[in-house]
Amino acid sequence: MRNPGAFIVAAAAFAALAAPLLSSHTPDDRHPRLLNSPPTIPHIKDDGGQWRAPFIYQWRLVNQLEQRFEEDRSTPVPLAWFPRGRIIASADESTAPFMPLGTDSYGRDVWARLLFGARASLGIALLAAAGAVIVGALLGGVAGYVGGTTDDALMRATDFVMVLPAMYVALALRSVLPLVLPPLTVFTLLTAIFAVVGAPFVARGVRGIVRTERRLEYAAAAEALGASDVRLLVRHLLPAARGFLAVELTMLVPAFVVAEATLSYIGLGFPDPIPSWGTMLHDASNVRVFVDFPWLLSPAVAMFIVVFGLNLALQGRRPGVESIR
Amino acid sequence: MIRYTLRRIVFALFLVLAVSSGALILARLAPGDYASGALGIEAQRETVEQMRARLGLNKSIAEQYVDWLAAAVRLDFGRSLQYDRPVSDLIPERAANTAILSLTAIVLATLIGVPLGVVAGSSQSGIVRSVIRAGSLVLLSTPPLLTSLFLVFLAARTGWLPIAGMRSSGVPPGDAWLDLVRHLIVPAAAVGLPLAAMLERLQAQATSEVIDQPFIAAARARGASARRIVWRDALRASLAPVASVYGLIVGTLLSGSFAVEVITAWPGLGSLMLDALRTRDVFLVAGCAGAGAVFLAAGTLVSDLALAAIDPRTRES
């Protein structure tokens, strides 16, 4: 793979799509006996020093008050391959479920929630970034093409949105609506809000590119051949901004992943049963909780990996950040 | 220069007015209000109506907005419904806390980012450059939401630093400063570290560009030491592009400090605004938004003016 960043991002996207295969539970399965249990670690060597097929030990609650668990090393439970349409799961689901990232305070599989949560978190970010790029390209294209008062008005408006702290704008817009909404409405709503907040940054750049390109000979040639304004703008001028738009898209996705997480963290994003990286962090928002059960921070790690992958993919393409050497 | 300054000030005033008006209207448009929230769903209809009438929430949006605007001209920004105190009493204290956090973060970011950027941009050693760049890339990928979670986790696990709030109770007044500094470390680092990475990247690029310029070769030919060239001539020439970013940082800083304030329970503007939004405390929402806009306007104004003072070309646009 020439670009490790793109590889990381592709892997994350694949994990989100293949969530039902990769996890051995659904995100809502509750295990009332295993609240905040630590990750189950697959072993390949038993206490007698004997090598064997991957197996796990059952967690036994040793301290109810501190919710401390210990491995019950007397009965190894083998891992089963491809049971019930999943890649891997425990052979004895009722006593020793396989949960590679432990459970949360409701006894839900953190690994499963992480994978299914990636769908909401990455989906929202990707859709919103695409929306911002499309809206921004159209606004910027029109502003740059038409010029004059339209251009002035549009650019003043984008100036205004750009100086505002994006997080506060999103927060204010979100809080206008009822606190509790059905998940699909939240999804659409957050996507729309993020797209509105992100579009001005795209519009600025596209406007500049369209203005420069408009003066070039190929644009004059297309015009002379009788291309209409719309055709000239959409078929000839906007494609010149393709590279810029690709970079913007890659920069907006991580910003929106974090924005969703922040809004859900403070309780203004998805409602609780819907797994998203933000709602998972919300469950862990009590400091005492995630200090004792650090696996609850895994959505933060996942977020870092995705953002890091996108930044790595952008290396050398983001103006002003990568050194030329 | 005077005309430029005036124009910028007018824009700043407009920004503050528009943001606080917008926030007030949005907060009013939102379903539910302070009265229904504070009394709960089981409250009698009449009780809710009485409370609304007492707080002036039964007026139409337009009426309320005009009243608020007329009072705001006299610097009376209304009363907070939940704290029952004037908004102009509540905000300065919280705004000062946010300012302490943001300024510390900027200073921290500058002290870490700029020198490392100079080293990365001028070093002959590939290892030094890649190590610094890798570090920056990691920090650039951990926005304040994540840095604060990780730092709070570290601080709580090790027990080295306090993890929440701004002051501990029962500290003798003599140690108050030290106590504040100890509380400040985690949130300031959470806001400042990603910023430091950004500054480092910009400074590295600016430095490596400047170093290829003829005047550096000339200085070298005159026999100036490499250290003197990098840290004096090249640094001075490369500061302008980096300095121009500070104006843009202010907005990022407010957004970033919001998440950090919530996670580390720092009593700043962000957590106050969230609190106000949740309880539909409309005047407090407008006040917080206005105060945020003042920050923003002041930040961009100062950095624009500083830049215009350095570089006359920027005054035109």
Side-chain angles (χ1 to χ4, degrees), chain A residues 160 163-168 171-173 175-179 258 261-262 265-266 268 281 287-288 290-292 294 297 300-301 303-304 307-308 311-312 315 320-325, chain B residues 15 18-19 26 30-31 121 123 129 133 137-138 140-143 145-146 149-150 152-153 156-157 163 201-202 205 208-209 211 251 254-255 258 262-263 270 273-274 277-278 280 296:
Chain A
F160 189 71
V163 293
L164 298 176
M167 201 56 235
Y168 280 73
L171 193 67
L173 289 176
S175 61
V176 179
L177 296 139
L179 291 181
V258 174
T262 312
Y265 181 87
I266 60 176
L268 288 173
L281 284 180
V287 176
R288 291 284 152 227
F290 71 70
V291 168
D292 288 338
L297 280 182
V301 177
M303 229 181 292
F304 166 74
V307 177
F308 183 73
N311 276 336
L312 212 57
Q315 279 257 310
V321 169
E322 189 37 53
S323 89
I324 21 175
R325 280 195 185 175
Chain B
L15 183 76
V19 167
L26 281 181
S123 170
R129 282 207 309 269
R133 183 199 290 174
L137 203 61
V138 167
L140 275 177
S141 312
T142 40
L145 174 75
L146 302 183
L149 281 173
F150 293 138
V152 164
F153 177 72
R157 263 285 156 109
I163 46 171
R201 288 289 79 206
L202 287 170
Q205 186 184 8
S208 69
E209 268 168 24
I211 278 185
L254 278 175
S255 285
F258 173 74
V262 174
I263 290 174
M273 170 120 169
L274 181 62
L277 277 172
R278 276 195 183 134
R280 304 284 186 225
L296 206 65

Side-chain angles (χ1 to χ4, degrees), chain A residues 85-120:
Chain A
R86 304 177 187 280
I87 288 179
I88 195 165
S90 162
D92 184 2
E93 195 52 48
S94 57
T95 57
F98 176 54
M99 294 193 268
L101 287 177
T103 59
D104 64 8
S105 55
Y106 294 98
R108 297 176 296 199
D109 183 352
V110 172
W111 169 245
R113 289 182 72 74
L114 193 71
L115 293 179
F116 281 93
R119 295 179 160 191

Side-chain angles (χ1 to χ4, degrees), chain A residues 40-60 70-80 89-93 95-98:
Chain A
T40 28
I41 304 147
H43 300 263
I44 44 173
K45 200 175 178 186
D46 64 17
D47 280 348
Q50 193 80 41
W51 295 93
R52 42 197 291 178
F55 64 94
I56 54 176
Y57 289 118
Q58 180 189 338
W59 284 117
R60 202 181 46 211
E70 243 170 40
E71 278 181 337
D72 180 1
R73 301 188 83 95
S74 58
T75 42
V77 178
L79 286 173
S90 162
D92 184 2
E93 195 52 48
T95 57
F98 176 54

Side-chain angles (χ1 to χ4, degrees), chain B residues 196-221:
Chain B
M198 192 182 102
L199 290 177
E200 184 278 320
R201 288 289 79 206
L202 287 170
Q203 182 64 48
Q205 186 184 8
T207 306
S208 69
E209 268 168 24
V210 164
I211 278 185
D212 294 336
Q213 302 265 323
F215 77 89
I216 295 291
R220 192 165 284 158

